């Protein structure tokens, strides 16, 4: 079992380069199944969820060649197996994208109900509603989902909730459908635009991604043969921006899209941080104890739930009392119990948490309960006085590329230790 051992108390300073977006990568990899041929994917984050996805694609007949650490070539010509390896698909959330892409490719697919971070109930009723509206027959039985169709026909689908996963999944299923599909009340996250751009590069006809109405004109085939570079990860960029705030540091974050980070930038300025933007670079500097702030997580372009634990660390150390209202996931405050072990004063009740800022945190052994909680605990450990040990770091490795290497380059004293 591995853990991260951090000796805290160092303000983070220097430059960090952001990797490709995890949540775009785990949708673009299954999207390659809609191509009958090859494509090259660049700026692919080297993280465990990506490696798992590559394993799944290889098990169902794709040929994957790693060109560099962050670039692969995928040949899907020989994919014919419609049953995904259930033991792997069960392990992570984004395996649900195999349903949309395999339905599109073969009109037949079986996967297990997706796993992933425990953030409370994670229903997929909107995905199923979309597939059924396109003409698929979907059966959920003993933890597995089977979806079949004679043919898929474009239609209008109104999403009852704004869902990243359902928007992408229905988009995947409708790219090769007959006629036009309209997704109304669609999610607008940058990775939705990225998946649409990838599919359009390969020959799809998708318009309106990034707005709440996406129109997909079905095409007969996707050509492949092209290269596509994945968008930078706005959650990784936000994680480093907030780590500058928590440690009173000065970090220049390279390879990010500043527009994607507006909600985070606004909160950092409200908390007294200094933000300088220059092209694809953001510098965040914090010279004093952060001001208190109130946060409400919302779908994009609102403040992202995936940065809620990280900003929770900043608010734990802020001057005054702050509130976070979590409106996406019912159980995303598990990290607060770990921060309390480090001296934070937090009360979490249902979907709200109240932070009475303290002047400093002290190191302690803590447990990463999910991916973003893990990132938050690393930030807390770097900001705290003394030694912090972060356990259950497999969650963190699922979604952050070389996280301790990047923090170490910024001056953090952090080591991965095998127990
Ligand atoms: N929802 C439904 N029915 C559905 C789908 C979603 O009620 O069929 C609800 C969910 O319960 C939730 C809300 O809608 O309350 C939003 O869920 P969404 O479908 O947008 O989440 P997701 O697609 O399962 C993705 C990211 C999450 C991120 C959320 C919200 C991936 C693989 N995961 O999940 O990322 O928190 O969007 O932005 O893209 C992470 O990276 O740490 C992570 C958890």
């Amino acid at each position: 079992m591995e853990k991260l051992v951090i000796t805290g108390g160092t303000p983070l300073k220097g430059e960090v380069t952001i990797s490709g977006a995890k949540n775009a990568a785990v949708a673009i990899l299954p999207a390659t199944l809609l191509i009958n041929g090859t494509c090259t994917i660049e700026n692919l984050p080297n993280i465990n969820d990506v490696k798992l996805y590559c394993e799944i694609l290889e098990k169902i007949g794709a040929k994957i060649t790693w060109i560099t650490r962050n670039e692969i070539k995928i040949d899907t010509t020989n994919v014919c197996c419609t049953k995904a390896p259930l033991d792997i698909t069960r392990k992570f959330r984004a395996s649900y994208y195999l349903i949309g892409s395999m339905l599109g490719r073969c009109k037949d697919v079986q996967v297990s109900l997706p796993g992933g971070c425990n953030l409370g109930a994670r229903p997929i009723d909107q995905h199923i509603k979309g597939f059924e509206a396109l003409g698929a027959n979907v059966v959920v039985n003993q933890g597995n989902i089977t979806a079949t169709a004679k043919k898929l026909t474009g239609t209008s689908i109104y999403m009852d909730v704004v869902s990243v996963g359902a928007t992408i999944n229905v988009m995947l299923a409708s790219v090769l459908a007959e006629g036009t599909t309209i997704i109304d009340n669609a999610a607008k996250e940058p990775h939705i635009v990225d998946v649409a751009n990838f599919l359009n590069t390969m020959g799809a006809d998708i318009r309106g991604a990034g707005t709440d109405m996406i129109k997909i004109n079905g095409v007969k085939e996707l050509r492949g043969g092209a290269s596509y570079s994945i968008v930078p990860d706005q959650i990784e960029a936000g994680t480093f921006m907030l780590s500058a705030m928590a440690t009173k540091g000065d970090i220049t974050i390279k390879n990010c899209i500043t527009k994607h980070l507006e909600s985070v930038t606004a909160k950092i300025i409200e908390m007294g941080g200094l933000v300088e933007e220059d092209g694809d670079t953001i510098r965040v500097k914090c010279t004093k104890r952060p001001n208190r702030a109130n946060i409400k997580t919302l779908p994009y372009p609102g403040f992202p739930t995936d940065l809620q634990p990280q900003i929770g660390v900043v608010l734990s150390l802020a001057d005054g009392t702050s509130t976070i209202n979590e409106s996406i996931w019912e159980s995303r405050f598990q990290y607060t119990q770990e921060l309390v072990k480090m001296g934070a004063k937090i009360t979490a009740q249902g979907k709200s948490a109240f932070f009475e800022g303290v002047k400093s945190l002290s190191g302690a052994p803590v447990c990463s309960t999910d991916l973003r909680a893990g990132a938050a605990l690393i930030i807390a450990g770097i900001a705290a006085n003394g030694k912090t040990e972060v356990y259950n770091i497999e969650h963190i490795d699922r979604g952050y590329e070389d996280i301790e290497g990047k923090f170490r380059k910024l001056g953090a004293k952090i080591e991965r230790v095998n127990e």
Side-chain angles (χ1 to χ4, degrees):
M1 197 176 71
E2 290 182 325
K3 64 179 177 184
L4 291 172
V5 180
I6 304 164
T7 307
T10 321
L12 295 174
K13 290 202 162 82
E15 284 182 3
V16 62
T17 302
I18 298 307
S19 300
K22 161 192 168 268
N23 288 342
V26 296
I28 286 174
L29 287 170
T32 63
L33 292 169
L34 294 166
I35 303 167
N36 207 356
T38 61
C39 66
T40 303
I41 301 173
E42 299 163 12
N43 204 30
L44 187 67
N46 196 296
I47 53 176
N48 282 353
D49 271 8
V50 161
K51 289 177 199 156
L52 273 181
Y53 236 123
C54 288
E55 224 182 291
I56 293 177
L57 294 180
E58 282 178 323
K59 286 228 157 101
I60 60 176
K63 185 164 180 276
I64 297 188
T65 314
W66 286 84
I67 300 167
T68 67
R69 191 183 150 77
N70 298 105
E71 184 179 345
I72 59 171
K73 187 170 179 185
I74 304 188
D75 182 352
T76 53
T77 315
N78 293 323
V79 170
C80 53
C81 172
T82 57
K83 193 172 167 186
L86 302 181
D87 51 329
I88 312 181
T89 56
R90 196 170 294 122
K91 281 188 195 162
F92 70 124
R93 185 78 190 155
S95 59
Y96 55 32
Y97 291 136
L98 288 166
I99 311 174
S101 51
M102 290 296 277
L103 253 184
R105 183 184 177 106
C106 313
K107 315 280 177 293
D108 184 5
V109 59
Q110 189 185 9
V111 301
S112 50
L113 276 171
C117 288
N118 176 14
L119 308 173
R122 297 186 76 170
I124 57 163
D125 56 299
Q126 297 304 304
H127 303 233
I128 294 174
K129 170 177 142 168
F131 299 141
E132 288 177 340
L134 291 167
N137 180 33
V138 184
V139 177
V140 180
N141 190 19
Q142 294 190 329
N144 297 327
I145 303 177
T146 308
T148 48
K150 285 209 173 71
K151 75 172 193 175
L152 297 171
T153 311
T155 184
S156 285
I157 299 158
Y158 180 86
M159 295 286 170
D160 300 331
V161 292
V162 178
S163 161
V164 172
T167 301
I168 292 179
N169 231 341
V170 172
M171 202 159 79
L172 292 172
S174 54
V175 162
L176 299 176
E178 202 175 287
T180 298
T181 301
I182 290 177
I183 307 175
D184 206 349
N185 201 25
K188 297 180 273 202
E189 268 67 4
H191 30 290
I192 288 167
V193 181
D194 210 39
V195 178
N197 286 345
F198 167 77
L199 290 165
N200 285 343
T201 305
M202 303 298 154
D205 182 358
I206 304 172
R207 295 158 197 217
T211 75
D212 58 13
M213 190 184 282
I214 303 178
K215 187 172 168 191
I216 303 123
N217 294 314
V219 294
K220 286 226 152 49
E221 60 168 3
L222 296 191
R223 293 182 295 270
S227 290
Y228 188 80
S229 180
I230 291 181
V231 74
D233 195 315
Q234 93 268 26
I235 301 302
E236 190 196 9
T239 299
F240 283 104
M241 289 167 79
L242 293 166
S243 72
M245 292 303 291
T247 64
K248 296 204 194 89
D250 182 356
I251 305 183
T252 300
I253 297 146
K254 299 174 100 173
N255 187 34
C256 57
I257 298 179
T258 54
K259 171 87 186 140
H260 294 167
L261 291 154
E262 276 175 347
S263 62
V264 188
T265 302
K267 281 294 156 189
I268 287 181
I269 292 170
E270 194 181 319
M271 293 188 297
L274 305 167
V275 182
E276 279 171 27
E277 297 181 357
D278 183 11
D280 64 355
T281 297
I282 297 188
R283 178 178 174 196
V284 178
K285 190 172 167 187
C286 179
T287 51
K288 63 177 188 63
R289 190 173 175 199
N291 303 328
R292 60 161 298 282
N294 291 334
I295 309 289
K296 180 169 181 168
T297 64
L298 287 169
Y300 187 83
F303 191 90
T305 174
D306 293 345
L307 287 173
Q308 190 258 98
Q310 299 89 318
I311 204 163
V313 177
V314 183
L315 299 181
S316 300
L317 289 161
D319 190 3
T321 302
S322 310
T323 307
I324 296 184
N325 189 263
E326 169 60 51
S327 76
I328 311 289
W329 299 119
E330 64 185 25
S331 182
R332 204 162 208 177
F333 284 126
Q334 296 170 69
Y335 72 95
T336 59
Q337 292 163 19
E338 304 303 302
L339 288 184
V340 167
K341 292 180 192 163
M342 300 178 73
K345 290 192 179 157
I346 311 169
T347 318
Q349 279 167 3
K351 286 191 159 189
S352 298
F354 306 94
F355 295 72
E356 194 187 318
V358 294
K359 283 204 170 125
S360 61
L361 296 173
S362 34
V366 286
C367 230
S368 162
T369 48
D370 62 73
L371 169 61
R372 308 302 172 185
L377 294 174
I378 293 178
I379 298 172
I382 298 169
N385 297 320
K387 184 170 130 184
T388 294
E389 290 166 308
V390 184
Y391 290 88
N392 288 9
I393 58 173
E394 64 281 0
H395 291 297
I396 308 172
D397 293 336
R398 281 188 32 227
Y400 285 93
E401 178 170 343
D402 187 23
I403 193 161
E404 74 266 29
K406 289 187 181 185
F407 274 121
R408 205 177 298 124
K409 209 172 146 244
L410 294 168
K413 297 189 182 96
I414 176 168
E415 293 298 332
R416 183 176 289 250
V417 175
N418 217 329
E419 281 202 319

